[in-house]
Amino acid sequence: MRKIAHQVKSLNDIVQARIASGAIDVAGLLHGTTSSTWLPILHAGSEAQKVWINLPVGVIVGPDAGLDWVAANIVAVTGGEELETTVRQARENMTITVSPGQIILRAWFGDPAHKWSAAHGRDVTQQAQDRVNKGQPLVAQRALWHKAGSFGNRRLLVKMNSVMPHTTIATAVESGARFQTIALADSAVTNLGWCKHGVEVVNIRDCENVSDVTPLAEARSVTLQRCFNVVDVSPLFRLQALDLTGCTSVEDVAALGEIPQLCLADCVGVTDVSKLIRVRTLDLSRCVNLRDVSALSSCQSLILAGCRLVSNVAALGGVHTLDISMTSVTDVSSLGSVYSLTARCTEIVDVSALATVKYLDLSHCQRLMDVSSLGSVLSLDIRGTAVTDWSAVAGIPTLTVDTANRK
């Protein structure tokens, strides 16, 4: 076996060197493989590394697989330990959230008593990956997962990555490695300059010493959760998806108005969202100093939960999916055209205008007593309300009530 040169220019060079030397037998490692896997490589300096090979569902690797195939399917790199993962599950009609930067490693829809079983469910990894890539939600609905509707009790299970250590990724990049996705959580990180070389998805959490996000400007999707020293986010205006959850020093978001998918949850410094008129999916949860949301009428999905100073939502009647829970809203008369409405507001009394809403959550509207106009709703939750007579809505397909309160 030939000695592999330590000086390499890219991750492809590393893989090529290993293949050429015989240290990687691609056919032997991957022949017959039908699921994503780890492919060992040798990193510059002889430090052991592994590459995550994202193998599309249903694809069987043949004996002629080589560098081009490997390079096309590399999505992440880590050290000797395998990628930290988590499994999330959702009951029927519930949604699993995939944060920007997370990679769907496996998805399955079927009987939760036999998780991951081919006999009691169906592998829907490719469909799930496609939906996430298109910005579509992962909802546990039978209609979304082809040929998966014959199972009685259904759950959607999704296995995805967590984060990878900064030192491993930084070392690899500085040595010339190139990959599509970087995920890290490390308070010691201060400089993100090494992130700018062709990275499409960056997932950064709890990096409290990061302040300059300019190196992330060319990425497609960026997560910067709880990066408390980030102030200027204007360089990120070209992104397709941005998550700034818990970035409490961010105040000016005017430059982010063209980003299709934007999360500003817990950004307590944000008070003006008037420039976010072209954002399609917007999460403003617990932006506790925000008052005026009248400019957000073009949003398709808008979360205002916990925005306690928001009281006027008259302009939001055209929003498809809206959450106004724990706000100061009392008047919902303009929201009859909303498709899915979550309105857990303690002061709401009159919901007669919501008769055409399809999915309606009024749980914990403590003063609500009359829901007689809501008989056409497809899904209704009135737990924690003052409703005692729900005979008019008893025929709703999905009705959630406090049965002990019924007259």
Side-chain angles (χ1 to χ4, degrees), residues 355-358 373-378 392-393 396:
T356 54
V357 175
K358 299 304 181 185
S373 63
L374 304 181
S376 298
V377 174
L378 296 179
V393 295
I396 287 178

Side-chain angles (χ1 to χ4, degrees), residues 301-315:
S301 176
L302 177 60
I303 301 177
L304 298 171
C307 296
R308 58 195 182 196
L309 299 183
V310 172
S311 59
N312 187 347
V313 292

Side-chain angles (χ1 to χ4, degrees), residues 5-6 8 14 18 41-49 168 171-177:
H6 293 320
V8 293
I14 300 172
R18 294 281 281 168
I41 65 170
L42 188 69
H43 160 60
S46 299
E47 179 182 346
Q49 299 286 321
T168 296
T171 301
V173 174
E174 288 166 358
S175 298

Side-chain angles (χ1 to χ4, degrees), residues 161-182:
N161 69 303
S162 181
V163 295
M164 291 179 288
H166 157 245
T167 52
T168 296
I169 300 175
T171 301
V173 174
E174 288 166 358
S175 298
R178 301 290 179 264
F179 33 85
Q180 298 170 340
T181 298
I182 290 178

